[in-house]
Amino acid sequence: GEECFLHNVLIGEVWLCSGQSNMEMPLAGWGKVMNYEKEIAEADYPSIRLFQVKKETSLSPRKNLASTMGGWKECSPAMIPNFSAVGYFFARNLWKDLNVPVGVIDCTWGGTPAEGWASYDAMKKILGFSKEVENAQALKFNAELLRKKYDEDRKEWQQGLNESDRGYSGNRSLWTPTGYPDENWGAMSLPGYWENKGMSNFDGIVWFRKTIDIPADWSGKQLKLRLSMIDDEDITYFNGVEIARGYGYNSPREYIVPAEVVKVGKAVITVRVSDFGGEGGIHGQPEDLWISCGEADKIPLAGEWRYKVGVSMKEVPRVPLSPVDNASYPAAIYNAMVNPLIHFPVKGVIWYQGEANVGRATEYADLFQSLIQDWRDKWQNPEMPFYFVQLASYLERKEIQPDSEWAALREAQNKALHLCNTGMAVAIDIGDANDIHPKNKQEVGRRLSLLALQKTYGKGKVTDIMSYKDYVVENDKVRLIFEGNTKGFQPSDLLTGFTIAGADHVFYPAKAQIKGNELLVWSPDVSNPVAVRYGWADNPDCNLYDRTGLPVAPFRTDCW
């Protein structure tokens, strides 16, 4: 019986913007996109409305959610700094072309894998997750029972991990004593993620050692050890004695070295770093890496450390996931942040995610397609548009990298194009070798908007860019056949990013030549070619564009 007044109501297009940190990345804050100050100052669009979903997890599907902004807000310089940059640039492009109000829902969470965003219904169908979901259902999604089961599983898994770690014998560390010979270990400059230090795509345990000289006046005194930040966990030793354990990828590590282990002369700091996904290592700022005796007396620790791999995660079963307050747990984010939205009519979804699933490409291909189909089922819209961003280039540049896990994940994303009403914005040309969060989010939003304008609204220029279809071996060359628009490729005197292999599966750099809507690829090192790859690396140097100015997606002709 109470009257309710709604003011400033608009009717228009609403899109759900979802995924992990590259979709979450705000214009300002930790993001600071390209020209962010100018972009914020000019973000005065009352007809663009913003809604940001609060980050929460749940073991069961919820009906309600909270907004970090107190509900829908007009787009303004005051409201936009902490909103999804990709979501904003996408909405701005739609508004300019459609001339109707556009609402965007920022439903994102950095560092999260796809399984956190999929419902239990989707998980039931995926090999590798079905058993986990069945176990959770058997325990009726009871948090206490699930935590108890997790504690048991984690203890068993940790024991197996320690037994596999070559730096251990039983429960005794082998690589921590002062006199242990580490001359044959690798050398790494710290701080920094090891993915940027020659260990791309590595998850597992790495031991680091640093030898320092303890002054005579430090002997027998308590010291303070600062190790910046460590991703994810560490066990730290001083002269072979364990002094601390730390957790949390962004938690500063500051430990006390007991006076009884501090002796004049050579001393060794050993850090066993465990990383279970994403970036790993001792990272942060060089000035936050030191050991001190008192506030003024410090020895810097930034610079060269010795390192050796204890065990790779590929050698052990997948780590059990905590079911409580864990955004990586299957369906945990979906239940809390997506399910409450399924009765809200949205035009479509834009998605930027996959970094957290690198290393699991085969699984991701099934998981991602299942997620798309499941969201459409939940919204009761079997043809709901779903446009996504292929992972940008990242990490050290290598000309030949047949085992690239980033390339494999991009291929897994590409397979989702077999579903109707999907589209992929290729970002291979706008990545950053040293930053997993490249700053040019304007172009990402533009490319997503081109897909929506053409495929959903029938406007704008053609975005069916040239894509690889088939190949024919012709003597010592391979002819690549493409499909898509009929305008062909942008002319180029020197195409890069191609590799070619014979029956021995050994790849060599290749030359490529445009022949109308096809390409000829060859190499003097391969007389009888069998396979060609393009852009197949973590961070490839590739420059194939079609006439619309959009990059051609990486591909391979083989399935090795």
Side-chain angles (χ1 to χ4, degrees):
E2 295 182 3
E3 290 183 333
C4 178
F5 292 92
L6 303 179
H7 300 277
N8 197 9
V9 178
L10 298 182
I11 296 175
E13 303 296 279
V14 179
W15 285 78
L16 176 62
C17 314
S18 193
Q20 59 180 111
S21 55
N22 269 303
M23 181 63 83
E24 176 186 351
M25 186 172 170
L27 277 76
W30 63 266
K32 293 183 174 60
V33 301
M34 188 172 65
N35 301 323
Y36 74 96
E37 292 174 322
K38 180 176 183 291
E39 294 287 10
I40 291 171
E42 296 176 353
D44 187 13
Y45 295 97
S47 292
I48 295 177
R49 299 297 164 91
L50 315 172
F51 187 97
Q52 191 171 65
V53 179
K54 182 182 178 182
K55 294 178 176 62
E56 293 183 293
T57 62
S58 176
L59 292 174
S60 58
R62 292 183 182 175
K63 293 183 178 180
N64 298 310
L65 53 68
S67 167
T68 60
M69 307 168 71
W72 286 97
K73 300 295 181 181
E74 290 185 358
C75 178
S76 67
M79 298 306 303
I80 202 62
N82 293 310
F83 197 80
S84 163
V86 172
Y88 164 64
F89 294 129
F90 172 81
R92 186 177 69 181
N93 288 333
L94 288 193
W95 179 82
K96 288 181 178 180
D97 271 86
L98 300 177
N99 196 28
V100 296
V102 178
V104 276
I105 301 173
D106 178 350
C107 183
T108 56
W109 196 323
T112 54
E115 55 265 32
W117 293 96
S119 75
Y120 288 127
D121 293 331
M123 292 286 96
K124 290 177 185 176
K125 308 168 187 176
I126 306 300
L127 187 66
F129 293 104
S130 55
K131 184 177 180 181
E132 198 162 6
V133 172
E134 289 173 4
N135 290 338
Q137 287 180 321
L139 297 175
K140 302 185 184 303
F141 303 108
N142 182 284
E144 184 177 345
L145 295 177
L146 284 170
R147 188 188 292 276
K148 182 178 179 182
K149 178 72 166 54
Y150 163 75
D151 289 341
E152 295 170 355
D153 291 346
R154 180 62 190 247
K155 184 177 180 180
E156 180 180 342
W157 180 86
Q158 189 68 51
Q159 184 62 36
L161 181 69
N162 291 343
E163 291 172 358
S164 301
D165 185 351
R166 290 173 283 276
Y168 273 141
S169 177
N171 289 320
R172 181 173 62 90
S173 60
L174 301 176
W175 297 345
T176 59
T178 306
Y180 179 83
D182 60 13
E183 295 83 3
N184 294 326
W185 285 28
M188 185 180 297
S189 179
L190 297 177
Y193 292 112
W194 60 49
E195 282 84 356
N196 298 325
K197 307 284 184 177
M199 297 181 64
S200 62
N201 303 322
F202 181 84
D203 296 319
I205 293 175
V206 179
W207 294 71
F208 292 93
R209 284 172 58 95
K210 179 82 168 180
T211 301
I212 60 174
D213 289 311
I214 297 296
D217 59 347
W218 284 25
S219 184
K221 295 181 180 179
Q222 180 176 283
L223 307 181
K224 184 181 292 185
L225 175 63
R226 184 68 182 264
L227 295 174
S228 192
M229 295 180 287
I230 298 177
D231 190 349
D232 295 311
E233 302 176 358
D234 69 283
I235 304 176
T236 298
Y237 304 80
F238 189 89
N239 284 342
V241 177
E242 180 182 329
I243 62 168
R245 298 190 177 210
Y247 307 88
Y249 71 93
N250 61 352
S251 301
R253 303 299 206 275
E254 190 169 293
Y255 301 140
I256 296 299
V257 181
E260 57 267 24
V261 300
V262 181
K263 296 177 173 55
V264 64
K266 298 293 183 184
V268 175
I269 301 167
T270 309
V271 186
R272 178 186 187 252
V273 178
S274 303
D275 175 60
F276 306 123
E279 297 167 312
I282 301 174
H283 65 102
Q285 300 301 317
E287 58 267 25
D288 289 331
L289 211 58
W290 45 260
I291 189 168
S292 71
C293 182
E295 291 301 319
D297 210 358
K298 289 183 180 180
I299 298 176
L301 299 178
E304 183 178 291
W305 286 60
R306 312 302 293 181
Y307 78 93
K308 189 172 183 179
V309 172
V311 62
S312 167
M313 292 299 291
K314 294 179 180 179
E315 303 174 54
V316 298
R318 181 185 297 173
V319 58
L321 291 172
S322 171
V324 182
D325 299 327
N326 185 353
S328 297
Y329 192 75
I333 310 175
Y334 171 85
N335 289 334
M337 297 174 61
V338 179
N339 193 73
L341 294 170
I342 63 175
H343 297 295
F344 190 95
V346 298
K347 189 69 174 183
V349 177
I350 58 171
W351 173 268
Y352 195 164
Q353 189 276 337
E355 299 90 342
N357 290 87
V358 168
R360 297 188 280 139
T362 301
E363 176 185 82
Y364 190 86
D366 296 332
L367 175 58
F368 185 37
Q369 293 179 60
S370 181
L371 181 150
I372 295 171
Q373 297 284 52
D374 184 65
W375 281 24
R376 289 171 169 175
D377 290 343
K378 294 296 190 293
W379 261 274
Q380 298 183 22
N381 184 356
E383 297 185 354
M384 182 171 69
F386 199 107
Y387 305 132
F388 56 93
V389 183
Q390 190 181 50
L391 295 187
S393 51
Y394 178 53
L395 300 175
E396 179 185 0
R397 175 156 288 176
K398 298 179 181 179
E399 189 174 26
I400 304 291
Q401 195 179 7
D403 59 347
S404 167
E405 292 184 340
W406 281 74
L409 200 285
R410 293 186 192 109
E411 182 182 62
Q413 293 176 307
N414 198 319
K415 291 179 179 179
L417 293 176
H418 292 292
L419 300 178
C420 71
N421 282 4
T422 57
M424 184 173 73
V426 179
I428 198 67
D429 59 330
I430 50 176
D432 187 325
N434 301 310
D435 192 347
I436 201 171
H437 305 114
K439 303 299 186 183
N440 188 359
K441 291 297 187 283
Q442 290 90 334
E443 182 62 13
V444 175
R446 187 186 77 89
R447 291 177 184 179
L448 285 168
S449 70
L450 290 177
L451 290 168
L453 287 168
Q454 184 221 353
K455 292 177 174 291
T456 302
Y457 300 108
K459 293 177 175 285
K461 62 184 177 181
V462 175
T463 54
D464 284 332
I465 63 175
M466 302 291 282
S467 59
Y468 165 73
K469 180 182 180 182
D470 205 350
Y471 74 102
V472 178
V473 178
E474 298 175 342
N475 299 318
D476 62 344
K477 294 181 175 64
V478 176
R479 180 162 55 91
L480 299 175
I481 303 167
F482 291 77
E483 59 185 355
N485 70 62
T486 59
K487 295 182 180 180
F489 301 102
Q490 280 189 357
S492 175
D493 294 330
L494 182 62
L495 292 175
T496 59
F498 289 89
T499 58
I500 194 168
D504 58 0
H505 292 200
V506 177
F507 282 89
Y508 296 87
K511 297 180 180 179
Q513 184 179 17
I514 298 172
K515 292 290 185 180
N517 290 345
E518 299 179 343
L519 296 177
L520 282 182
V521 181
W522 73 96
S523 169
D525 298 311
V526 182
S527 56
N528 296 300
V530 173
V532 169
R533 294 183 176 183
Y534 169 72
W536 195 269
D538 299 342
N539 181 15
D541 177 14
C542 50
N543 64 349
L544 183 63
Y545 291 80
D546 76 356
R547 291 275 186 175
T548 68
L550 294 172
V552 174
F555 62 87
R556 60 175 173 170
T557 66
D558 64 276
C559 57
W560 299 336

